Amino acid sequence: MPDESFVGRSLPAAGPFQVGREKIREFAVAIGDASPLSRDLDVARAAGHPDLVAPPTFSTTFTMPLIEAFLRDPDFGWDYTRMVHGDQRITFHRPIHGGDELFTTIHVDELRTRAGSHMLTLRCEVADAAGAPVATTSSLLVTQA
Amino acid sequence: MSTPSNPAAAQKGDELPPLRLHLTRADLVRYAGASGDFNPIHWSDRVAGVAGLPGVIAHGMLTMAVAGRVVTDWVGDASLVRSYGTRFTRPVVVPDDDTGALVEITGTVGDVTESDGVRVARIDVKAVFDGKSVLGRATAEVVLPG
C-alpha cells in the first residue's frame, strides 16, 4: 500500500543532468528520428540553435530514472514490478539543447485507488541552472492494489 | 483532405504524411539503452509472461516517441513542439522475429490558433497496431513555421 502522506510533497531537486550531444544522437537513432537538427551540429547552428536539438520525448532519459528510484524506495511502498504507464504529457517552456544543465524536481500530485488499481500522478518540473523553467512532465503510473 | 507540403499553410483538417514502421526486439533493446528504461517486460518473455502479458511489449514511451515523428518529420524542427501527450491504451506486442510489430501512424491538424502573430496547430495523432489504436487522445501542439 503506497504511503498517502507523500501526496502533495515534492522531492529535493536532482541534478545537474548534463544534456550530452552523443546522448541526443543516441536517442534520435533509437527512435528513428532522422532530423539533422538532432544529429549534425553545423546544421543545428545554421538553423539558429545553440547546439543539437533534443527530440520531444528526450526528457524521459533523465526524468524516468528519477521516477524509478522514487518508486523503488520501500518507504513509498509502490509495487514497481507490476507497474504500467497510463499516460504521459510533456510541456516545453523552451527547447532542450545539447550542453543544457538541467535540474528535476518530482512532485507527487495525486494518488487514487480505484477498481483494484493504484493510480499515481507524478509531475516533474525541469529547470536550468539559473532556475528558469524548461519543461513540465506529468506521468500517470498504475499498479495493482 | 490534402497533404500540405508546407506546414506554414496548414489548416484544420489537413492530414500529415503518415508513417508505417516496424518495431523489432532490436529496436526495444536499443531504446532501453538510450532511454535508461531497462524494465524486463520490454526484453524478457519470461518476465512479460509473469506480468500477465502475451509477450514482450514495446516501451510506451518508445511508441509515443515514434508516433511523435509524424509531427516532427512534417514540421521539420522538434524545437517547435510546445507540448505532446498521450494515454497508453493498448500494448504493442513485439515478436522475436525479423519483422517485428507493424505500427501505422497518422496525424491530422485538429485546430489552428493564432496569437501575437504565432500560429499554433494542435495535431491529433493516431497509432494503430494489429488493427487497434494503441495511443489514446494523443495530441501535440506545434508552432507553425512562419
Side-chain angles (χ1 to χ4, degrees), chain B:
Chain B
M1 294 290 194
S2 64
T3 297
S5 57
N6 181 3
Q11 300 293 334
K12 180 177 178 175
D14 286 349
E15 292 181 9
L16 279 54
L19 285 177
R20 280 168 58 90
L21 55 94
H22 293 267
L23 291 177
T24 66
R25 289 287 176 94
D27 293 323
L28 271 51
V29 171
R30 189 177 291 111
Y31 183 78
S35 69
D37 183 346
F38 292 97
N39 189 326
I41 62 172
H42 306 304
W43 50 266
S44 166
D45 281 307
R46 176 180 58 83
V47 176
V50 168
L53 296 164
V56 160
I57 63 169
H59 308 71
M61 290 302 295
L62 172 58
T63 307
M64 180 180 181
V66 297
R69 281 170 42 203
V70 85
V71 178
T72 53
D73 285 0
W74 173 67
V75 78
D77 184 342
S79 73
L80 296 173
V81 176
R82 283 194 171 170
S83 72
Y84 181 32
T86 188
R87 294 165 59 200
F88 302 105
T89 52
R90 283 193 182 84
V92 175
V93 182
V94 178
D96 184 12
D97 62 20
D98 295 332
T99 308
L102 172 64
V103 182
E104 296 177 282
I105 300 152
T106 54
T108 307
V109 178
D111 199 10
V112 178
T113 54
E114 183 167 352
S115 63
D116 299 329
V118 178
R119 296 175 81 225
V120 177
R122 188 195 78 230
I123 310 298
D124 300 327
V125 178
K126 286 193 164 54
V128 171
F129 160 71
D130 198 22
K132 297 188 180 98
S133 221
V134 293
L135 300 179
R137 292 187 214 152
T139 58
E141 289 176 300
V142 60
V143 175
L144 296 171

Side-chain angles (χ1 to χ4, degrees), chain A residues 57-143:
Chain A
T57 62
F58 179 83
S59 58
T60 190
T61 64
F62 55 91
T63 58
M64 285 306 282
L66 297 172
I67 287 174
E68 179 176 346
F70 169 65
L71 294 179
R72 286 187 185 278
D73 182 346
D75 285 350
F76 183 54
W78 182 261
D79 183 1
Y80 188 81
T81 61
R82 310 286 282 184
M83 186 184 85
V84 295
H85 201 161
D87 70 38
Q88 178 69 44
R89 177 153 287 277
I90 306 165
T91 302
F92 295 96
H93 310 298
R94 67 145 170 97
I96 294 174
H97 292 108
D100 281 340
E101 293 204 341
L102 303 175
F103 293 80
T104 299
T105 305
I106 294 178
H107 297 259
V108 184
D109 274 354
E110 190 176 31
L111 175 65
R112 288 180 296 150
T113 300
R114 202 167 62 196
S117 295
H118 297 304
M119 289 172 280
L120 176 69
T121 303
L122 296 179
R123 172 169 49 91
C124 292
E125 295 291 351
V126 180
D128 66 17
V134 173
T136 302
T137 75
S138 181
S139 308
L140 175 69
L141 304 163
V142 183
T143 198

